[in-house]
């Protein structure tokens, strides 16, 4: 691609950064130009734009440009300057891979221009990061750290927080995914704890494709600070339709697919065989397809059925006998062992969800990108901004969980600037048909659900208070002011705050609670709170607000 004329939005960048961008892209998108104007003035910024509009690069390119400048003139020991917070681990790993393009491109331009060499470090710290790697990050902090809300909390509650004392930019991606829950409240207090470590508060940049109301999410991002909203007119190009593969959902035939195709055992009169056959037809007409299901069980079973149907069709077209042997061992990607269908040697689909190992997820994502895999059946694990390459079609099985979720999922198709996202929705029941129709109408009209952050959740306050006090003695008045700077606690009454501290210090309203150990010591004369022994261990082992899941036995097919 030949270099494009210099766009006015690129003028503030370093020459090497400008040259790389001009050689890689025709011009900045409207959201990039508007975002750089606000970010360049050190304003807290909420960037709202459709999936594939370049908003992630808008946030990162300015930060990268600043890092090159700082590292060129700053000889002090390296500390993390840019903190990227992702709501899911897979998105963070994807961003780490995608960052290599601008980093390598700008470095190549710097070398071509004869600029001094500068190497920027990027690392990911999540629950999957090995202990040795975390220790290495403490010794040699990366310039750019990619993490999750929970891992940020753990860093702030350990000696790793010293590596964050020079952070100047915080990027919160897919902010809508956390703003309306206690997980977001927990993150808001972590960001205030982070700012308390810094000499100058960090610039906050929020990214989202689906936000309503904008003012509420902007307030969540900034707390008591003003936030500039970048929301240029970026119309979504969507082609979405509902597919019902039977003539009458009230009178279901018992057979689907080509003549002679056998039915699933016990599936007579079910819509599933017809949905499965129709989805396979759609997959075979395209290079790459993502199918979204609303549960892991459905995703696994649908994956297995698609592979079985594909094997049958392949064998039939080749004039071979239909595959019949039942394997004694099943791969994790072939489906649940409940209502087991036959394994298939030829895979056209694989399932992707939170229970699949990170190595398998990475392999699945890469296989879809390079074309060696035609279809991925996923849950919400692929709903957010993970780059899956040029996906031709997105299929939603059953009505989507929400309008915002539908926009995110359909937006996976043609995930690029100016692309048209094509999606099909397969309702399972007549009620599903009504729900899907309403969801699509609201999606096309941009009428997504409103985000409503929790107000003053005291359980989150208690958890963060124990964590903060375990790192240093808290001045009660100062901690109250810090908490109230976070938007979810802007209206926190002093009485509720004091009652929470009373509870943590062992001052319970009834003798019924006398068996609970106090976690903190509240010196009311000096206005200080300090941790009791074991408080820090409790904080780090009970971190976050994601609900606990039960532990279940795993029964293998062979017994």
């Amino acid at each position: 691609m030949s270099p494009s004329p210099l766009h006015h939005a690129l003028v503030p960048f370093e020459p090497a950064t400008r040259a790389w961008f001009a050689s890689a892209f025709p011009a900045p998108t409207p959201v990039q130009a508007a975002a750089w104007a606000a970010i360049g003035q050190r304003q807290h910024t909420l960037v709202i734009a459709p999936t594939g509009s370049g908003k992630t690069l808008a946030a990162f390119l300015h930060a990268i440009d600043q890092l090159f400048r700082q590292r060129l003139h700053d000889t002090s020991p390296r500390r993390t300057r840019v903190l990227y917070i992702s709501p899911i681990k897979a998105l963070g790993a994807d961003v780490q891979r995608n960052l290599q393009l601008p980093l390598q491109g700008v470095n190549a331009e710097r070398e071509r221009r004869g600029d001094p060499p500068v190497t920027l470090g990027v690392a990911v710290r999540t629950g999957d990061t090995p202990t040795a790697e975390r220790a290495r990050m403490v010794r040699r902090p990366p310039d750019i750290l990619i993490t999750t809300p929970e891992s940020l909390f753990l860093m702030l509650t350990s000696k790793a927080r010293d590596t964050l004392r020079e952070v100047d930019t915080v990027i919160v991606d897919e902010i809508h995914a956390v703003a309306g829950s206690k997980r977001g409240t927990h993150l808001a207090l972590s960001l205030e704890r982070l700012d308390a470590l810094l000499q100058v508060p960090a610039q906050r940049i929020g990214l989202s494709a689906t936000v309503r109301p904008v003012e509420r999410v902007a307030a969540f991002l900034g707390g008591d600070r003003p936030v500039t909203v970048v929301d240029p007119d970026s119309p979504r190009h969507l082609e979405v339709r509902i597919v019902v593969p039977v003539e009458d959902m009230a009178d279901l035939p018992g057979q689907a697919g080509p003549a002679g195709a056998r039915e699933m055992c016990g599936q007579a009169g079910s819509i599933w065989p017809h949905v499965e056959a129709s989805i396979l037809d759609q997959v075979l007409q395209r290079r790459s397809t993502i199918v979204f299901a609303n549960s892991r069980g459905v995703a696994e079973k649908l994956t297995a059925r698609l592979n079985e149907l594909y094997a049958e069709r392949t064998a039939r077209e080749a004039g071979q006998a239909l595959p019949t042997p039942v394997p004694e061992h099943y791969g994790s990607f072939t489906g649940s062992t409940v209502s087991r269908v036959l394994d298939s040697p030829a895979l056209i689909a694989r399932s992707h969800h939170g229970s699949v190992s990170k190595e398998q997820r990475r392999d699945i994502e890469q296989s879809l990108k390079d074309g060696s895999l035609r279809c991925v059946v996923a849950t919400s694990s692929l709903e957010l901004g993970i780059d899956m390459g040029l996906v031709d079609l997105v299929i939603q099985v059953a009505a989507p969980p929400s309008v915002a979720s539908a926009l995110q999922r359909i937006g996976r198709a043609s995930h690029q600037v100016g692309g048209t996202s094509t999606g099909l929705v397969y309702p399972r029941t007549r009620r599903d048909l009504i729900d899907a129709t309403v969801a699509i109408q609201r999606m096309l009209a941009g009428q997504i659900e409103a985000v409503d952050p929790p107000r003053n959740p005291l359980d989150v306050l208690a958890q963060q208070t124990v964590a903060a006090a375990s790192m240093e003695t808290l001045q009660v008045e100062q901690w109250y002011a810090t908490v109230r700077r976070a938007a979810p606690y802007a209206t926190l009454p002093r009485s509720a705050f004091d009652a929470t501290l009373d509870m943590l210090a062992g001052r319970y309203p009834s003798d019924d609670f006398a068996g609970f150990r106090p976690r903190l010591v509240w010196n009311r004369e000096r206005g200080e709170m300090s941790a009791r022994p074991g408080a820090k261990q409790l904080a780090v082992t009970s971190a976050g607000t994601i609900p606990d899941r039960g532990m279940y036995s795993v029964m293998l097919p062979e017994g």
Side-chain angles (χ1 to χ4, degrees):
M1 180 184 296
S2 58
S4 58
L6 182 63
H7 191 280
H8 67 85
L10 296 170
V11 171
F13 289 96
E14 289 284 289
T17 308
R18 293 199 302 261
W20 170 76
F21 189 93
S23 65
F25 303 97
T29 63
V31 68
Q32 288 173 337
W36 289 333
I39 294 171
Q41 297 178 27
R42 295 292 300 173
Q43 299 171 3
H44 301 298
T45 308
L46 175 61
V47 183
I48 305 170
T51 299
S53 59
K55 58 183 177 292
T56 304
L57 181 61
F60 266 116
L61 191 63
H62 185 274
I64 290 171
D65 188 69
Q66 293 299 308
L67 279 173
F68 275 113
R69 293 183 185 181
Q70 292 167 355
R71 288 290 306 281
L72 190 61
H73 302 103
D74 188 358
T75 58
S76 61
R78 177 189 293 181
R79 279 182 173 171
T80 298
R81 297 296 187 108
V82 178
L83 186 64
Y84 170 90
I85 302 172
S86 159
I88 58 174
K89 293 180 286 188
L91 179 56
D94 183 69
V95 167
Q96 183 188 31
R97 290 192 297 270
N98 292 341
L99 270 179
Q100 299 310 310
L101 178 63
L103 288 175
Q104 294 173 4
V106 174
N107 260 327
E109 285 292 339
R110 291 178 59 85
E111 184 178 353
R112 187 182 64 80
R113 292 172 49 84
D115 295 339
V118 174
T119 302
L120 299 182
V122 182
V124 177
R125 175 170 172 149
T126 67
D128 292 335
T129 306
T131 302
E133 180 68 13
R134 296 181 195 178
R136 189 193 66 80
M137 290 182 204
V138 173
R139 294 191 302 269
R140 285 188 55 81
D143 297 284
I144 301 173
L145 178 63
I146 298 169
T147 190
T148 61
E150 290 73 29
S151 290
L152 172 61
F153 171 82
L154 293 175
M155 290 185 71
L156 291 170
T157 316
S158 70
K159 64 180 181 180
R161 72 175 188 160
D162 290 335
T163 67
L164 303 176
R165 291 186 181 274
E166 293 184 14
V167 167
D168 56 31
T169 303
V170 175
I171 301 171
V172 184
D173 204 354
E174 306 290 356
I175 191 171
H176 65 277
V178 296
S181 67
K182 284 188 178 181
R183 192 181 183 205
T185 303
H186 196 271
L187 173 61
L189 281 182
S190 290
L191 292 179
E192 296 304 333
R193 289 177 61 195
L194 173 64
D195 268 0
L197 289 177
L198 310 176
Q199 293 184 352
V200 178
Q203 180 183 26
R204 301 180 185 180
I205 303 171
L207 307 177
S208 181
T210 51
V211 164
R212 190 176 74 89
V214 173
E215 298 77 12
R216 193 175 297 167
V217 178
F220 169 81
L221 175 66
D224 65 348
R225 310 153 188 85
V227 173
T228 299
V229 176
V230 173
D231 187 12
D233 185 17
S234 303
R236 303 175 189 274
H237 302 287
L238 299 172
E239 290 183 5
V240 188
R241 62 187 178 91
I242 295 175
V243 178
V244 179
V246 294
E247 290 188 6
D248 186 353
M249 297 183 77
D251 184 18
L252 296 171
Q255 197 165 303
R262 61 182 176 79
E263 302 172 21
M264 283 183 66
C265 180
Q267 290 291 310
S270 168
I271 197 172
W272 276 109
H274 308 276
V275 169
E276 294 155 358
S278 179
I279 289 176
L280 182 59
D281 290 337
Q282 298 291 344
V283 170
L284 292 174
Q285 293 171 19
R286 293 168 175 84
R287 174 186 175 276
S288 59
T289 302
I290 297 179
V291 180
F292 281 102
N294 294 341
S295 71
R296 296 176 182 180
V298 171
E300 288 282 0
K301 293 177 184 179
L302 182 57
T303 300
R305 280 295 295 154
L306 290 175
N307 287 328
E308 182 183 347
L309 287 174
Y310 179 64
E312 290 179 1
R313 291 192 187 185
T314 302
R316 189 177 296 108
E317 292 170 359
Q320 301 172 352
L322 297 181
T324 55
V326 179
E328 294 183 359
H329 174 72
Y330 301 98
S332 64
F333 50 83
T334 61
S336 167
T337 56
V338 179
S339 302
R340 165 59 59 181
V341 293
L342 298 182
D343 194 5
S344 114
L347 293 178
I348 195 170
R350 294 179 67 180
S351 55
H352 186 292
H353 51 72
S355 294
V356 177
S357 69
K358 64 175 182 178
E359 294 81 11
Q360 285 283 348
R361 290 198 304 266
R362 191 178 302 121
D363 180 61
I364 292 168
E365 294 162 13
Q366 186 56 43
S367 296
L368 189 70
K369 286 182 184 180
D370 62 28
S372 59
L373 181 65
R374 300 278 292 276
C375 174
V376 171
V377 184
T379 58
S380 57
S381 59
L382 287 182
E383 183 176 304
L384 300 181
I386 298 174
D387 180 14
M388 295 300 294
L390 295 179
V391 175
D392 299 322
L393 176 69
V394 167
I395 294 174
Q396 167 68 39
V397 178
S402 66
V403 179
S405 174
L407 277 171
Q408 291 288 148
R409 294 181 177 191
I410 301 300
R412 297 297 95 204
S414 190
H415 185 205
Q416 59 184 339
V417 177
T420 298
S421 298
T422 304
L424 303 177
V425 179
Y426 282 80
R428 302 170 303 172
T429 63
R430 285 172 288 177
R431 170 60 188 268
D432 250 2
L433 178 59
I434 296 173
D435 291 345
T437 301
V438 173
I440 291 175
Q441 288 177 343
R442 292 179 63 89
M443 179 175 64
L444 295 175
Q447 299 173 341
I448 62 176
E449 297 85 359
V451 172
D452 187 18
R455 294 173 179 82
N456 306 324
L458 301 183
D459 53 344
V460 176
L461 172 62
Q463 185 181 142
Q464 288 277 10
T465 300
V466 171
S470 70
M471 297 304 298
E472 59 191 358
T473 298
L474 293 180
Q475 298 296 321
V476 171
E477 295 300 325
Q478 185 177 343
W479 176 240
Y480 181 56
T482 298
V483 169
R484 298 238 322 178
R485 279 197 289 271
Y489 294 98
T491 60
L492 177 68
R494 183 59 190 250
S495 59
F497 175 79
D498 288 345
T500 303
L501 299 193
D502 276 338
M503 179 198 69
L504 295 174
R507 188 175 180 180
Y508 303 120
S510 167
D511 291 341
D512 294 339
F513 302 96
F516 292 102
R517 291 175 54 193
R519 303 300 176 182
L520 303 178
V521 175
W522 185 359
N523 186 325
R524 288 171 172 79
E525 292 183 359
R526 301 177 61 180
E528 295 178 346
M529 292 210 76
S530 56
R532 289 178 179 269
K536 183 176 179 180
Q537 182 68 16
L538 177 67
V540 299
T541 55
S542 306
T545 61
I546 299 176
D548 289 336
R549 301 293 177 92
M551 303 298 291
Y552 300 93
S553 300
V554 176
M555 308 303 293
L556 299 179
E558 54 269 27

